[in-house]
Amino acid sequence: MLLISQNLAKYNMGFPKDAVFRVNLAWVNNIQELIDTLKKHKNHSIFLDLPIGRLKPPNNKYTLKDLITILKSYKQIKYFAISNVTSSNDISKYSKLLPENIIIVPKIENPSSIDNMKEIAKELGNTEKIVMLDHEDLYASLTKTNDSTKFQSYVEKLVDFCKKNNITLLRARGIIFSD
């Protein structure tokens, strides 16, 4: 899956037709702005990213209630990422409320997420299974507990688990700088 950030849309770059357009709600100021973005990118599948427990700016907040109508109305929303998933409990309420056509994508951002991957994967059910690794947040989490030397081993543990269990692991593969 090629996942492209909404921030790149500001630079009039063309996106491949099969690219998935990621909308990180932390960077969306209000529901109307989200609707406008969805309308503008109606020809791409959408990966909606809900920041839960985000501390760094920007930090716009949305409730699931705010989003359910949008999730039901805009069929191009195919993926729904949830930040800071550490256990199946962090996913279960979404599994019950989201439309069935939307794939839940847990964002893996700390060591306990990786330690609990078997439980998290079970909660994803029988649909296509996808998880997203946030390398920076994982590293920051390990640094807070003076365990940053374990970063690479946690990444390898997650990669191995995903390979063995046929789970797509989304990882950042570079960055674009511009003026």
Side-chain angles (χ1 to χ4, degrees), residues 77-91:
I77 301 172
K78 305 289 184 199
Y79 309 95
F80 189 81
I82 304 165
S83 297
N84 293 304
V85 170
T86 58
S87 74
S88 61
N89 292 336
D90 296 328
I91 302 172

Side-chain angles (χ1 to χ4, degrees), residues 21 23 31-44 46 70 73-77:
F21 191 73
V23 178
I31 294 295
Q32 187 57 53
E33 185 177 319
L34 173 60
I35 291 169
D36 292 345
T37 300
L38 294 171
K39 287 179 180 177
K40 184 176 179 181
H41 298 281
K42 64 184 175 198
N43 294 325
H44 281 100
I46 301 291
I70 295 198
S73 300
Y74 292 87
K75 299 298 181 196
Q76 80 262 38
I77 301 172

Side-chain angles (χ1 to χ4, degrees), residues 111-160:
S112 60
S113 302
I114 296 169
D115 292 337
N116 294 328
M117 274 309 299
K118 186 174 182 180
E119 171 194 340
I120 290 168
K122 280 184 186 177
E123 186 63 34
L124 296 176
N126 295 324
T127 64
E128 179 181 0
K129 293 183 181 186
I130 303 171
V131 297
M132 180 181 226
L133 173 60
D134 188 318
H135 293 89
E136 290 179 25
D137 286 348
L138 174 61
Y139 186 81
S141 177
L142 287 164
T143 299
K144 288 177 188 173
T145 60
N146 295 318
D147 284 337
S148 61
T149 59
K150 296 179 182 177
F151 173 75
Q152 194 60 40
S153 65
Y154 271 105
V155 172
E156 289 170 8
K157 182 178 177 181
L158 180 61
V159 168
D160 289 345

